[in-house]
């Protein structure tokens, strides 16, 4: 006789910590079928797992410091970086390659493969960059499907260029990408703080500890 693979379990809990995860975000204007445009995470996977790199140079398009970690890693491998395009004007990270701050990619060039980019700065000036690969690190799109009934509303957060959720219930805590927090260190600190509040509600003593640094 056939038996079900999954069983529905009802778990009663006073407080729940939910980490829905997230998908690395590539903006719609860049989400094309031209080979050579990919997320920074996938590019790192190609380098580390398969030993695949760009045919020529690579450009990094980012709005966060995680993108600069990719820049540092690429340089350590001795690969050529054609440009780093950082949408933030206040970014202080530097690299031994052309760096464009407060700029965005407005057009990609090529048909069978990526040949170049057109970028524009805040003053409206356009620059053409020849490159064979674009690694994009522009935050994450969160996955709210499994907890959609607990979401009060979702609002756009320009700081991280994605949506941020607000919960209906105070008995739930979103951690990691599900709450638009993409730094592991910040996620651990947020979870620890929420757990301490729950422990205090039970009338118990919170013991301080050194959190792991990631």
């Amino acid at each position: 006789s056939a038996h079900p693979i999954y069983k529905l379990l009802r778990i009663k809990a006073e407080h729940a910590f939910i980490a829905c995860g997230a998908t690395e975000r590539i903006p719609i204007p860049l989400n094309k079928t031209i080979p050579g445009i990919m997320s920074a995470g996938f590019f790192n996977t190609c380098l580390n797992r398969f030993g695949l790199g760009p045919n020529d140079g690579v450009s990094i398009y980012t709005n966060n410091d995680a993108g600069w970690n990719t820049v540092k890693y690429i340089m350590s491998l001795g690969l050529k970086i054609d440009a780093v395009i950082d949408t933030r004007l206040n970014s202080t990270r530097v690299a031994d390659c052309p760096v464009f701050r407060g700029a965005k990619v407005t057009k990609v060039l090529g048909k069978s493969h990526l040949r170049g980019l057109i970028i524009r700065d805040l003053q409206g000036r356009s620059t053409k960059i020849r490159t064979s690969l674009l690694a994009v690190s522009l935050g994450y799109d969160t996955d709210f499907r499994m907890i959609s009934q607990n979401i009060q509303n979702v609002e756009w957060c320009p700081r991280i260029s994605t949506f941020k959720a607000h919960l209906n219930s105070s008995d739930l805590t979103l951690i990691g990408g599900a709450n638009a927090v993409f730094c592991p260190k910040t996620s651990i600190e947020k979870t620890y703080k929420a757990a301490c509040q729950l422990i205090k509600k039970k009338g118990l003593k919170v013991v301080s500890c050194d959190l792991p640094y990631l």
Side-chain angles (χ1 to χ4, degrees):
S1 61
H3 297 281
I5 299 176
Y6 300 102
K7 293 182 178 180
L8 181 62
L9 301 178
R10 183 182 296 274
I11 301 174
K12 186 177 181 180
E14 183 176 341
H15 197 103
F17 297 87
I18 302 177
C20 293
T23 302
E24 200 164 11
R25 179 175 178 270
I26 296 182
I28 293 177
L30 296 181
N31 190 14
K32 298 190 175 182
T33 57
I34 300 177
I37 302 175
M38 63 187 69
S39 67
F42 181 71
F43 176 62
N44 285 324
T45 299
C46 289
L47 287 175
N48 296 324
R49 186 177 300 174
F50 307 112
L52 299 176
N55 294 329
D56 192 2
V58 56
S59 295
I60 309 297
Y61 188 24
T62 186
N63 65 357
N64 57 74
D65 286 347
W68 282 92
N69 293 338
T70 299
V71 173
K72 182 179 179 181
Y73 180 59
I74 292 173
M75 295 185 71
S76 70
L77 296 177
L79 298 178
K80 176 187 174 185
I81 299 181
D82 294 319
V84 178
I85 304 103
D86 195 327
T87 62
R88 304 170 298 174
L89 271 175
N90 60 350
S91 173
T92 59
R93 304 289 287 270
V94 296
D96 188 16
C97 64
V99 177
F100 300 88
R101 306 183 197 279
K104 63 179 181 179
V105 177
T106 58
K107 188 177 181 179
V108 293
L109 307 175
K111 292 184 178 180
S112 60
H113 62 276
L114 183 66
R115 295 182 179 273
L117 312 167
I118 301 294
I119 67 171
R120 183 177 298 162
D121 61 20
L122 294 179
Q123 286 72 42
R125 295 187 296 259
S126 295
T127 303
K128 182 178 179 180
I129 300 171
R130 294 189 60 184
T131 191
S132 64
L133 192 145
L134 179 65
V136 184
S137 177
L138 290 177
Y140 292 80
D141 284 329
T142 50
D143 184 0
F144 299 123
R145 288 172 296 179
M146 66 175 290
I147 55 169
S148 58
Q149 69 275 17
N150 297 308
I151 298 296
Q152 182 175 2
N153 57 67
V154 178
E155 69 175 9
W156 180 257
C157 182
R159 181 176 61 85
I160 53 178
S161 298
T162 189
F163 291 96
K164 190 172 182 179
H166 297 276
L167 290 173
N168 289 328
S169 173
S170 61
D171 297 331
L172 291 176
T173 298
L174 295 183
I175 60 175
N179 198 30
V181 178
F182 309 115
C183 172
K185 182 174 182 292
T186 304
S187 297
I188 291 174
E189 291 173 348
K190 183 180 180 67
T191 306
Y192 175 73
K193 182 178 180 180
C196 288
Q197 292 176 350
L198 181 62
I199 292 172
K200 289 178 180 179
K201 284 184 180 180
K202 303 290 289 185
L204 301 175
K205 181 181 179 181
V206 175
V207 179
S208 60
C209 65
D210 294 328
L211 300 178
Y213 177 78
L214 301 176

